[in-house]
Every structure is written in C-alpha cells, then in structure tokens.
Amino acid sequence: MLSSLRPLAVDPCVTELLAAHATVAVGVSGGKDSQAVALAVARHLDAIGHDGPRVLIHADLGRVEWRDSLPVCQRLAAHLGWELLVVRRRAGDMLDRWESRWVSRSEAYARLETVLLTLPWSTPGMRFCTGEMKTDVISRELRRRFPTGPIVSIDGVRAQESSARARKAPTSPAAKLTRKGHVGMNWHAILPWSIEDVFDEIAQSGLQSHEAYRVHGASRVSCAFCIMGSLPDLTVSSGLAEHLDTYRAMVDLECRSTFSFQGNRWLGDVAPDRLTHDLRVRLAHAKTAAAARKAAETAIPKELLFGGKGWPSRMPTRGEADALAGARRAVATAVGLQAQFLTGDAVRGRYAELIAEREASYSPAKCAA
C-alpha cells in the first residue's frame, strides 16, 4: 500500500497549530503504533513546510521495559534526524511504584483509613501506570523544554484497537501541556489506520519493528507484563531470560499482597516452571489467603465503606462495628498485616476520630480562610 493512501486524521485545530510552527512531540514507546505515527507525521510536516521544533519523547518504565524498546526509539530518532528525549519518574520505576503503593495502602488499611484492603496493581479502570509513569513525566519535561509557544503532543492511538478509541476525535486539549497563554493539544494522527497500515509504514521506511513482534511473536509492546496483556503475550514475556528477574519480583508481590496481577489471572500461573520452589509454595498460600480475605470482606456492611473523599459517612452500630472488627482480624491474619482497631469498641472509637476530622476539614472557619 502506498503511503499516499494512508491519510492522517487532521482537523482545522491541528492544521492551524502546525501552520504556526508549533512544537511537535511524538511519544514513542518502541511499539509499532508510535513508530509508524512518528514516520507518518514527519513526512506530513515536511510536506506542509513545518519549521517548528520536533522531538521524540520516550518514558522509560525501568525493569518492566522490553530490552529492545529504547533501541527502537533511538534508531527511529536517527532515521528522522530528530532529538530523542528520555524521561523517567524520579521516585522509581514501574515496579517501584507498585511496591510503594502496596506499602502505602497496607499501612492505610492498618490505620483504618480505608475499609477494604487495596491492591498494589494498576487496573484498566485505574491506570496510574500510564498517568504517573508516562503522561505526567512527559508533560513535565515538555513544559520545561518548551516554556512558550503551542505544543502538539502525538500518540499512536488507533480506532481499530477498541470501541472507546473509535469514539475519539482526532484532537483534544492537552491540559498538562497548556501553559498561561500557550496552548497544548493531543493529536491522534493515525486514528483511522489499520494494523496493516502500521506495519506497511514501518516496512516502507526501511526500519525494523520491535523484536517482540519479529522474533517473539508478541501482539503488542508496552510493559513486558501489562495489566491488560493477553495470556499469549504474558507467556512470551515470562519465557524470556531478559524478563525473568522482573517476573519473579512481580509474582513475589502477588504472594505478599494476596492480589493477583490481573483480576482473573495470577501472573504466577502464567509460567510456574519459571518460578523457584519457594515462590510456587508461597503462591499457593497466597491464593488461599486471597480467598480468606475476600470472604472476610463480604461480611462488612456496605454502609461502612468510605465515600469518594475517603471519609466515613456515619458511626457504625455496635453490631456493625463488631462485624468490621472481625473482618479486619481475618484479613490481617490471612495477609500477615499488623493492623489496629480489631475490636468493635476500637472500630467505633476510630470512626468517631475520623468523623471529627471530616467535620473539622469542612468547618466554616477553614472554608473562610
């Protein structure tokens, strides 16, 4: 297929910004879509005489990255003659973030700052892996590097990938790139492309796609172990020596937390032969503990769950407090936590403290201040 038959998804907004020589930043992961969109956008910019800054920007997620991801980005940058910016979360990599979340959420549970024990992992509905590890760090660097002028941020989102993506418009405001007097915009430049279009674009450039596709048969490149990864892709990753330490570290977190990596799948079950004997034993115990945790939490009255702002809505009755205390004892025992407030009276006392804190936080004096 000729490149001329693969038009980009342009609209008047992005056309105007590009004509004004806006900064163009293409987020690249090493995957096929970001590689293809960078190639196509570069060709488009040349065709329209764009004379503004152009950069590729890669958010390095650390141990969960594929070995070939950064090299793919580097080869792409050399091919285009663009600068490649590589950014990382200052507080650690993706695995560090899951680990720190487990520490913070288990401590919050111990202090009865949350009623249910919270999983360490990101989820399809709670993708802090994308927000904190990619969008935030990329946006921060682009604002620093380009403090003035419009910025057009480009990704490889395609309508073919999901019904939600099919409903997207080609452009949208980029709030995290908008500075006072200077606009930021997201541009899904290859929104209408098919997967065949993507691989054709890469092949016609003379570049190679990521070895995850070419050598290992993976269907997508993101994290080596993605919260939305398919079983075949997780199996590919877990079977590679480059990912073995990360795989075992993630299964270790499953064991300690009693939460499976995906809602319906334990990562440790993907390749049990890659685990040590100790990890296999601990995984079996974790599954038993998870069942006990879930059973205990079903006894908690829903009315005692904290609201969206993290506060209790009312005091529990003595019976409700006893039920919650019993559930907390069972969860603490199953997971191995040193939890507080394990009697009905202690639970009621803690709720009284939290309700007082909630009322103080909304006091008229504070609001006026």
Side-chain angles (χ1 to χ4, degrees):
M1 183 184 293
L2 297 176
S3 61
S4 60
L5 300 181
R6 293 194 294 267
L8 298 183
V10 296
D11 65 12
C13 296
V14 74
T15 297
E16 180 180 345
L17 289 179
L18 296 180
H21 307 296
T23 293
V24 169
V26 182
V28 288
S29 64
K32 61 186 184 302
D33 296 321
S34 63
Q35 192 177 11
V37 76
L39 292 164
V41 165
R43 187 174 58 253
H44 178 73
L45 296 180
D46 290 343
I48 65 173
H50 174 266
D51 196 32
R54 309 178 188 183
V55 296
L56 303 178
I57 187 162
H58 172 67
D60 186 342
L61 303 184
R63 287 167 286 176
V64 299
E65 288 275 10
W66 285 80
R67 175 184 59 192
D68 197 37
S69 292
L70 181 56
V72 166
C73 299
Q74 291 168 331
R75 293 192 292 269
L76 178 62
H79 176 83
L80 296 175
W82 292 20
E83 181 181 6
L84 173 64
L85 308 178
V86 180
V87 294
R88 299 173 178 85
R89 176 175 170 266
R90 295 168 185 165
D93 69 7
M94 187 71 254
L95 188 49
D96 289 324
R97 180 65 180 89
W98 286 324
E99 289 279 4
S100 66
R101 177 176 164 82
W102 172 239
V103 170
S104 66
R105 301 319 297 157
S106 58
E107 290 178 349
Y109 181 84
R111 297 188 296 264
L112 191 44
E113 293 172 359
T114 181
V115 175
L116 303 178
L117 188 60
T118 308
L119 77 172
W121 314 109
S122 38
T123 68
M126 183 177 59
R127 294 182 62 185
F128 58 83
C129 49
T130 298
E132 294 181 21
M133 304 299 298
K134 294 185 178 182
T135 304
D136 288 354
V137 291
I138 286 174
S139 299
R140 185 183 305 118
E141 176 60 17
L142 291 177
R143 292 195 307 268
R144 186 194 70 80
R145 180 65 70 95
F146 305 105
T148 60
I151 300 175
V152 177
S153 175
I154 300 166
D155 59 34
V157 165
R158 293 184 297 109
Q160 188 186 52
E161 295 177 295
S162 69
S163 58
R165 292 189 169 191
R167 293 191 294 270
K168 287 182 177 290
T171 63
S172 62
K176 293 182 179 180
L177 292 178
T178 298
R179 297 127 297 147
K180 186 175 181 179
H182 304 284
V183 69
M185 176 179 287
N186 298 311
W187 181 23
H188 310 309
I190 59 170
L191 190 64
W193 285 25
S194 68
I195 191 171
E196 292 79 15
D197 293 331
V198 167
F199 280 116
D200 283 348
E201 181 71 40
I202 296 170
Q204 289 175 13
S205 74
L207 293 173
Q208 287 188 316
S209 59
H210 197 293
E211 66 179 20
Y213 310 118
R214 293 182 291 105
V215 178
H216 305 300
S219 68
R220 60 181 297 183
V221 171
S222 51
C223 293
F225 302 101
C226 177
I227 56 165
M228 297 186 294
S230 65
L231 178 57
D233 283 350
L234 294 174
T235 301
V236 166
S237 290
S238 61
L240 297 176
E242 66 177 276
H243 299 146
L244 181 57
D245 289 345
T246 299
Y247 177 61
R248 290 175 174 173
M250 292 175 68
V251 175
D252 176 73
L253 183 53
E254 284 188 314
C255 294
R256 285 182 282 124
S257 69
T258 72
F259 284 94
S260 58
F261 179 58
Q262 296 178 331
N264 61 349
R265 180 179 295 123
W266 291 83
L267 191 59
D269 285 341
V270 173
D273 58 306
R274 305 287 284 172
L275 302 178
T276 63
H277 173 73
D278 177 66
L279 268 180
R280 289 194 294 271
V281 170
R282 290 175 56 213
L283 183 63
H285 290 165
K287 292 177 182 179
T288 301
R293 169 176 54 76
K294 292 174 183 177
E297 290 184 336
T298 60
I300 300 173
K302 290 184 173 57
E303 295 79 8
L304 298 189
L305 301 182
F306 296 169
K309 295 187 177 180
W311 296 108
S313 59
R314 63 169 175 81
M315 279 288 292
T317 65
R318 291 194 177 277
E320 289 172 335
D322 288 341
L324 177 53
R328 287 178 61 78
R329 291 194 299 271
V331 170
T333 299
V335 184
L337 300 177
Q338 297 297 316
Q340 306 171 53
F341 313 109
L342 300 180
T343 67
D345 287 342
V347 166
R348 282 173 58 84
R350 180 57 171 156
Y351 267 70
E353 290 176 358
L354 292 170
I355 290 171
E357 290 179 18
R358 180 197 67 192
E359 293 174 350
S361 71
Y362 294 118
S363 67
K366 183 167 184 178
C367 293

